[in-house]
Amino acid sequence: MIGISLETLSRILLRTSRQLDLKLSPAVLFAAERLWRLSRLLKSGDKRKFRYKVLRRPPTQNIGIIGAPLVHGQPHQGPGAAPDLLRGLRLADVLRSKGANVKDYGNLEFKVVPNDFAVVLGCYNARTVGNANKQISQKVAHILKNGESVLVLGGDHSVGLGSVSGHASIRENLALLWVDAHADINTPLTSTSGNLHGMPLSFLVKEFPHLSPPVPGLEWCKPCVSSRNIAYIGLRSIDFREKSFLRTLGICNFTMEDIRELGIDTAVTNALDRIDPEGNRSIHLSFDVDALDPQIIPSTGTPVPNGLDFREALRIARIVHNTRRMSVMDVVELNPLLSTPSRAIKSAQVMVEIISRTFTGKRMRYPSVQDFEV
Ligand SMILES: NC(=[NH2+])NCCC[C@H](N)C(=O)O
Ligand SMILES: [Mn+2]
Ligand SMILES: [Mn+2]
């Protein structure tokens, strides 16, 4: 009896809000939806299911997507095309079909500063990258304030500067999981390439010995993450100076060698335990697609052999998803103009699968990526 009236009540609420396109607050919708499940289960009388389905089901995710087609952190044009390639694969609809509310905020537009070479520092496009990242930071902060999780589609990995800064401005004490073949912690003075995509962490880490002169365009960027709350997964190309930074700062890192020895689950759970020991931090997942093996993702500017396989990448996504605390994910360094067009699409499909699992716990299962499943 109670079950039936509850069901009617919640069904009316859910249906009319949908029909009239009412913008009910997510909390009300969530409550109505729970009520509806509760009524169904009361009717069926299955207590075990009640516990699992009603009490354990996570709230609907609200996701805000921003395209950050910044390419000036490295020498190629291609990463600028990645956000629209992922959109072309109906990324937003995939996430919606797995139960998320998705709002696409479109691509940010960046101004290119002419003659932008920081001569003293030997660093390319500093002002262009700096200004663009200030925009990214503000946008990420704005979306988080709306109560949405954020998906930042790069662009090269210099977008981590803005994305992490924006996240840190809203949630203090975030934990940063950096999935990458590279450590991206050079300073403008230790970098041998002068490319800012290999440097974002040197600007973000609080304990970093800030010895270089300030970088023009990045004056706004304040170190905001403690080295204790950063962990790397998938490293296999670390520059000489970067090694000593990792050692002196004691940054948690699981290299590919460690992962082969321990298994991906142990690596990721240990990393999360280290950087978020109380399990109460807002998690930032910065996912460089070159963490995956180039056989799976050939479309990237700095590929390194012996990377993660597809299953391992999906395990990372699953474990991060299960924390229910990931607020921001960056997907960077996908370069559709490298390798062949069909390989580029396949690379992007692999990333749609990983993004979908990270946010919703579920995935698309494209037939085209099946040969990567081992
Ligand atoms: N986000 C990346 N893919 N970074 C590659 C960095 C490569 C090299 N360590 C450098 O500093 O130039
Ligand atoms: Mn990177
Ligand atoms: Mn990388």
Side-chain angles (χ1 to χ4, degrees):
M1 183 59 206
I2 304 173
I4 293 169
S5 46
L6 267 182
E7 185 183 0
T8 328
L9 181 73
S10 50
R11 192 174 333 119
I12 292 171
L13 193 60
L14 282 172
R15 196 178 291 161
T16 46
S17 74
R18 214 174 298 131
Q19 275 168 359
L20 302 175
D21 202 22
L22 285 182
K23 292 269 170 290
L24 290 183
S25 88
V28 174
L29 276 178
F30 177 57
E33 206 242 26
R34 284 289 163 107
L35 219 57
W36 181 74
R37 289 182 158 268
L38 175 64
S39 63
R40 295 286 299 254
L41 286 163
L42 279 175
K43 252 178 31 186
S44 76
D46 185 339
K47 286 218 184 85
R48 209 167 35 87
K49 265 207 194 133
F50 168 77
R51 235 191 99 69
Y52 180 70
K53 290 240 160 123
V54 180
L55 300 179
R56 299 293 299 269
R57 196 169 172 279
T60 319
Q61 278 253 37
N62 298 315
I63 306 170
I65 300 181
I66 39 176
L70 179 62
V71 297
H72 289 80
Q74 46 79 63
H76 308 281
Q77 280 302 317
D84 287 340
L85 174 59
L86 291 162
R87 286 192 181 97
L89 296 174
R90 311 191 68 86
L91 170 63
D93 288 332
V94 169
L95 294 169
R96 284 186 193 112
S97 73
K98 306 298 171 200
N101 293 323
V102 184
K103 181 162 172 197
D104 190 341
Y105 290 78
N107 285 343
L108 288 168
E109 280 176 35
F110 307 124
K111 283 208 185 68
V112 180
V113 179
N115 305 321
D116 188 15
F117 182 68
V119 184
V120 183
L121 297 160
C123 161
Y124 293 103
N125 309 313
R127 298 166 191 84
T128 306
V129 170
N131 297 344
N133 271 291
K134 193 171 178 185
Q135 284 172 254
I136 297 170
S137 162
Q138 287 164 349
K139 195 81 186 179
V140 167
H142 169 79
I143 300 175
L144 282 173
K145 270 196 226 150
N146 278 352
E148 291 160 291
S149 314
V150 189
L151 172 59
V152 179
L153 303 175
D156 66 60
H157 218 163
S158 69
V159 307
L161 282 165
S163 176
V164 174
S165 299
H167 188 175
S169 73
I170 301 297
R171 310 266 159 83
E172 44 179 346
N173 302 332
L174 61 82
L176 174 57
L177 198 61
W178 198 273
V179 178
D180 204 324
H182 310 92
D184 294 348
I185 196 167
N186 274 304
T187 74
L189 294 178
T190 68
S191 167
T192 50
S193 67
N195 297 327
L196 275 157
H197 76 155
M199 312 182 201
L201 281 162
S202 72
F203 295 90
L204 295 168
V205 180
K206 282 187 190 157
E207 296 80 0
F208 204 85
H210 291 275
L211 303 173
S212 348
V215 177
L218 274 162
E219 297 86 354
W220 61 270
C221 181
K222 299 279 166 285
C224 53
V225 193
S226 166
S227 53
R228 268 175 289 122
N229 306 112
I230 302 173
Y232 289 105
I233 300 284
L235 295 182
R236 57 194 185 278
S237 170
I238 316 175
D239 297 344
F240 175 69
R241 301 279 179 177
E242 291 185 305
K243 257 187 203 141
S244 71
F245 290 146
L246 296 200
R247 206 170 306 129
T248 39
L249 293 164
I251 298 182
C252 173
N253 63 88
F254 289 92
T255 63
M256 276 321 295
E257 227 173 284
D258 297 327
I259 293 167
R260 293 284 167 261
E261 205 177 303
L262 301 166
I264 189 73
D265 284 40
T266 310
V268 180
T269 36
N270 283 355
L272 285 171
D273 278 350
R274 265 286 288 281
I275 63 179
D276 181 21
E278 276 101 43
N280 54 7
R281 286 170 189 263
S282 182
I283 294 172
H284 189 115
L285 174 61
S286 204
F287 201 111
D288 184 329
V289 305
D290 68 32
L292 275 126
D293 194 88
Q295 297 205 16
I296 302 169
I297 302 216
S299 304
T300 189
T302 46
V304 190
N306 299 320
L308 296 169
D309 65 33
F310 188 35
R311 185 196 65 84
E312 289 166 326
L314 286 169
R315 285 306 299 163
I316 300 173
R318 160 72 68 211
I319 296 165
V320 171
H321 172 78
N322 284 351
T323 64
R324 309 277 192 252
R325 282 191 313 285
M326 191 199 66
S327 306
V328 183
M329 177 182 193
D330 315 318
V331 174
V332 298
E333 297 286 341
L334 179 63
N335 183 336
L337 303 186
L338 296 177
S339 83
T340 66
S342 73
R343 296 306 307 271
I345 292 172
K346 221 164 145 177
S347 301
Q349 283 170 331
V350 165
M351 288 319 297
V352 172
E353 298 280 19
I354 293 166
I355 293 166
S356 170
R357 173 144 293 171
T358 308
F359 280 95
T360 70
K362 302 185 187 118
R363 55 175 278 223
M364 195 56 204
R365 297 187 192 280
Y366 288 109
S368 54
V369 300
Q370 248 163 30
D371 45 315
F372 295 138
E373 324 224 3
V374 276

